Short mmCIF file of all heavy atoms in Angstrom, two decimals:
data_model
loop_
_atom_site.label_atom_id
_atom_site.label_comp_id
_atom_site.label_asym_id
_atom_site.label_seq_id
_atom_site.Cartn_x
_atom_site.Cartn_y
_atom_site.Cartn_z
N GLY U 1 108.87 107.18 122.61
CA GLY U 1 110.19 106.58 122.57
C GLY U 1 110.48 106.02 121.18
O GLY U 1 109.80 106.35 120.21
N VAL U 2 111.47 105.16 121.11
CA VAL U 2 111.86 104.57 119.83
C VAL U 2 110.88 103.47 119.47
O VAL U 2 110.46 102.68 120.31
CB VAL U 2 113.29 104.01 119.93
CG1 VAL U 2 113.69 103.32 118.64
CG2 VAL U 2 114.27 105.11 120.26
N SER U 3 110.50 103.44 118.20
CA SER U 3 109.59 102.40 117.70
C SER U 3 110.22 101.77 116.48
O SER U 3 110.82 102.45 115.65
CB SER U 3 108.23 103.01 117.34
OG SER U 3 107.38 102.01 116.84
N THR U 4 110.09 100.47 116.36
CA THR U 4 110.64 99.78 115.20
C THR U 4 109.76 98.59 114.85
O THR U 4 109.05 98.05 115.70
CB THR U 4 112.09 99.32 115.47
OG1 THR U 4 112.64 98.81 114.26
CG2 THR U 4 112.17 98.26 116.53
N VAL U 5 109.82 98.21 113.61
CA VAL U 5 109.15 97.00 113.13
C VAL U 5 110.22 96.21 112.40
O VAL U 5 110.72 96.64 111.35
CB VAL U 5 107.97 97.33 112.18
CG1 VAL U 5 107.40 96.06 111.59
CG2 VAL U 5 106.90 98.12 112.89
N HIS U 6 110.59 95.06 112.97
CA HIS U 6 111.57 94.21 112.31
C HIS U 6 110.92 93.58 111.09
O HIS U 6 109.73 93.26 111.09
CB HIS U 6 112.06 93.11 113.27
CG HIS U 6 112.89 93.65 114.39
ND1 HIS U 6 114.23 93.92 114.26
CD2 HIS U 6 112.56 93.98 115.66
CE1 HIS U 6 114.69 94.39 115.39
NE2 HIS U 6 113.70 94.44 116.26
N PHE U 7 111.71 93.40 110.05
CA PHE U 7 111.16 92.83 108.83
C PHE U 7 110.55 91.45 109.09
O PHE U 7 109.54 91.10 108.50
CB PHE U 7 112.24 92.73 107.75
CG PHE U 7 112.72 94.08 107.26
CD1 PHE U 7 114.06 94.36 107.19
CD2 PHE U 7 111.82 95.06 106.87
CE1 PHE U 7 114.51 95.58 106.74
CE2 PHE U 7 112.25 96.29 106.42
CZ PHE U 7 113.60 96.55 106.35
N THR U 8 111.16 90.69 110.00
CA THR U 8 110.64 89.34 110.29
C THR U 8 109.31 89.38 111.02
O THR U 8 108.55 88.42 110.95
CB THR U 8 111.66 88.54 111.12
OG1 THR U 8 111.97 89.29 112.31
CG2 THR U 8 112.93 88.30 110.32
N SER U 9 109.04 90.48 111.74
CA SER U 9 107.77 90.57 112.47
C SER U 9 106.83 91.59 111.82
O SER U 9 105.94 92.11 112.48
CB SER U 9 108.03 90.94 113.93
OG SER U 9 108.60 92.22 114.02
N CYS U 10 107.01 91.82 110.53
CA CYS U 10 106.15 92.74 109.80
C CYS U 10 104.93 91.97 109.31
O CYS U 10 105.05 91.03 108.52
CB CYS U 10 106.91 93.36 108.63
SG CYS U 10 105.95 94.56 107.71
N ALA U 11 103.75 92.36 109.79
CA ALA U 11 102.51 91.68 109.37
C ALA U 11 102.09 92.15 107.99
O ALA U 11 101.60 91.35 107.17
CB ALA U 11 101.40 91.95 110.38
N ALA U 12 102.26 93.42 107.70
CA ALA U 12 101.86 93.98 106.41
C ALA U 12 102.62 95.27 106.17
O ALA U 12 103.10 95.93 107.10
CB ALA U 12 100.37 94.25 106.38
N MET U 13 102.70 95.62 104.88
CA MET U 13 103.31 96.88 104.51
C MET U 13 102.43 97.54 103.46
O MET U 13 102.12 96.95 102.43
CB MET U 13 104.72 96.69 103.92
CG MET U 13 105.36 98.00 103.48
SD MET U 13 107.02 97.83 102.83
CE MET U 13 106.69 97.01 101.28
N LEU U 14 101.98 98.76 103.77
CA LEU U 14 101.22 99.54 102.81
C LEU U 14 102.23 100.26 101.92
O LEU U 14 103.15 100.89 102.41
CB LEU U 14 100.33 100.55 103.51
CG LEU U 14 99.38 100.00 104.59
CD1 LEU U 14 98.59 101.13 105.22
CD2 LEU U 14 98.48 98.95 104.01
N ALA U 15 102.07 100.15 100.60
CA ALA U 15 103.03 100.71 99.67
C ALA U 15 102.32 101.64 98.68
O ALA U 15 101.43 101.20 97.96
CB ALA U 15 103.75 99.61 98.92
N TRP U 16 102.72 102.92 98.68
CA TRP U 16 102.16 103.90 97.75
C TRP U 16 103.10 104.06 96.57
O TRP U 16 104.33 103.93 96.71
CB TRP U 16 101.97 105.24 98.45
CG TRP U 16 100.82 105.22 99.40
CD1 TRP U 16 99.52 105.51 99.11
CD2 TRP U 16 100.84 104.91 100.79
NE1 TRP U 16 98.74 105.39 100.24
CE2 TRP U 16 99.54 105.01 101.29
CE3 TRP U 16 101.85 104.52 101.67
CZ2 TRP U 16 99.21 104.77 102.60
CZ3 TRP U 16 101.53 104.26 102.98
CH2 TRP U 16 100.21 104.39 103.43
N PRO U 17 102.57 104.35 95.39
CA PRO U 17 103.42 104.50 94.20
C PRO U 17 104.48 105.61 94.32
O PRO U 17 105.51 105.55 93.66
CB PRO U 17 102.43 104.85 93.09
CG PRO U 17 101.10 104.42 93.58
CD PRO U 17 101.16 104.48 95.08
N ASP U 18 104.25 106.61 95.20
CA ASP U 18 105.22 107.70 95.34
C ASP U 18 106.41 107.32 96.21
O ASP U 18 107.30 108.13 96.43
CB ASP U 18 104.54 108.95 95.89
CG ASP U 18 103.86 108.72 97.23
OD1 ASP U 18 104.50 108.13 98.13
OD2 ASP U 18 102.69 109.11 97.38
N GLY U 19 106.44 106.09 96.72
CA GLY U 19 107.56 105.61 97.52
C GLY U 19 107.27 105.55 99.00
O GLY U 19 108.07 105.01 99.77
N GLY U 20 106.14 106.07 99.44
CA GLY U 20 105.79 106.00 100.86
C GLY U 20 105.50 104.57 101.28
O GLY U 20 104.91 103.79 100.52
N ARG U 21 105.93 104.22 102.47
CA ARG U 21 105.70 102.88 103.01
C ARG U 21 105.25 102.99 104.45
O ARG U 21 105.72 103.86 105.19
CB ARG U 21 106.98 102.03 102.96
CG ARG U 21 107.58 101.85 101.57
CD ARG U 21 106.69 100.96 100.72
NE ARG U 21 107.27 100.66 99.43
CZ ARG U 21 106.98 101.32 98.31
NH1 ARG U 21 106.15 102.34 98.34
NH2 ARG U 21 107.53 100.97 97.18
N ARG U 22 104.35 102.11 104.86
CA ARG U 22 103.97 102.00 106.27
C ARG U 22 104.08 100.54 106.65
O ARG U 22 103.34 99.70 106.16
CB ARG U 22 102.55 102.49 106.51
CG ARG U 22 102.17 102.40 108.01
CD ARG U 22 100.80 102.92 108.32
NE ARG U 22 100.73 104.33 107.96
CZ ARG U 22 99.61 104.93 107.56
NH1 ARG U 22 98.49 104.27 107.48
NH2 ARG U 22 99.63 106.22 107.25
N LEU U 23 105.03 100.25 107.53
CA LEU U 23 105.23 98.89 108.00
C LEU U 23 104.41 98.69 109.26
O LEU U 23 104.47 99.51 110.18
CB LEU U 23 106.70 98.62 108.29
CG LEU U 23 107.60 98.47 107.05
CD1 LEU U 23 107.96 99.81 106.48
CD2 LEU U 23 108.83 97.68 107.39
N ILE U 24 103.65 97.62 109.32
CA ILE U 24 102.80 97.31 110.46
C ILE U 24 103.29 96.02 111.07
O ILE U 24 103.32 94.98 110.40
CB ILE U 24 101.31 97.18 110.03
CG1 ILE U 24 100.87 98.46 109.31
CG2 ILE U 24 100.44 96.89 111.24
CD1 ILE U 24 99.54 98.33 108.60
N GLY U 25 103.69 96.08 112.34
CA GLY U 25 104.22 94.91 113.02
C GLY U 25 103.12 94.03 113.58
O GLY U 25 101.97 94.44 113.70
N THR U 26 103.49 92.82 113.92
CA THR U 26 102.52 91.89 114.50
C THR U 26 102.05 92.35 115.88
O THR U 26 100.99 91.92 116.34
CB THR U 26 103.15 90.48 114.62
OG1 THR U 26 104.37 90.58 115.37
CG2 THR U 26 103.42 89.89 113.26
N ASP U 27 102.81 93.26 116.52
CA ASP U 27 102.41 93.81 117.81
C ASP U 27 101.58 95.08 117.68
O ASP U 27 101.22 95.71 118.66
CB ASP U 27 103.63 94.06 118.69
CG ASP U 27 104.61 95.06 118.07
OD1 ASP U 27 104.38 95.48 116.91
OD2 ASP U 27 105.59 95.40 118.74
N GLY U 28 101.29 95.51 116.43
CA GLY U 28 100.48 96.69 116.19
C GLY U 28 101.28 97.97 116.01
O GLY U 28 100.71 99.01 115.68
N ARG U 29 102.57 97.92 116.23
CA ARG U 29 103.39 99.11 116.01
C ARG U 29 103.50 99.40 114.53
O ARG U 29 103.50 98.49 113.71
CB ARG U 29 104.79 98.93 116.59
CG ARG U 29 104.82 98.90 118.09
CD ARG U 29 106.26 98.94 118.55
NE ARG U 29 106.34 98.85 119.98
CZ ARG U 29 106.43 99.90 120.78
NH1 ARG U 29 106.45 101.11 120.28
NH2 ARG U 29 106.50 99.75 122.07
N THR U 30 103.61 100.68 114.20
CA THR U 30 103.77 101.05 112.81
C THR U 30 104.97 101.98 112.66
O THR U 30 105.32 102.72 113.58
CB THR U 30 102.53 101.79 112.26
OG1 THR U 30 102.35 103.00 112.97
CG2 THR U 30 101.28 100.94 112.36
#
């Protein structure tokens, strides 16, 4: 289904120099 990570509930964000991002929520969703 639909998955989202709100910025306010983002525990961490992995950031690659090529622009890729992975947002990890406090509930474990990415």
Side-chain angles (χ1 to χ4, degrees):
V2 177
S3 179
T4 187
V5 174
H6 291 277
F7 293 130
T8 56
S9 64
C10 182
M13 178 178 70
L14 307 179
W16 287 272
D18 58 48
R21 302 290 185 263
R22 181 178 299 150
L23 287 79
I24 304 168
T26 55
D27 60 355
R29 290 189 183 265
T30 63

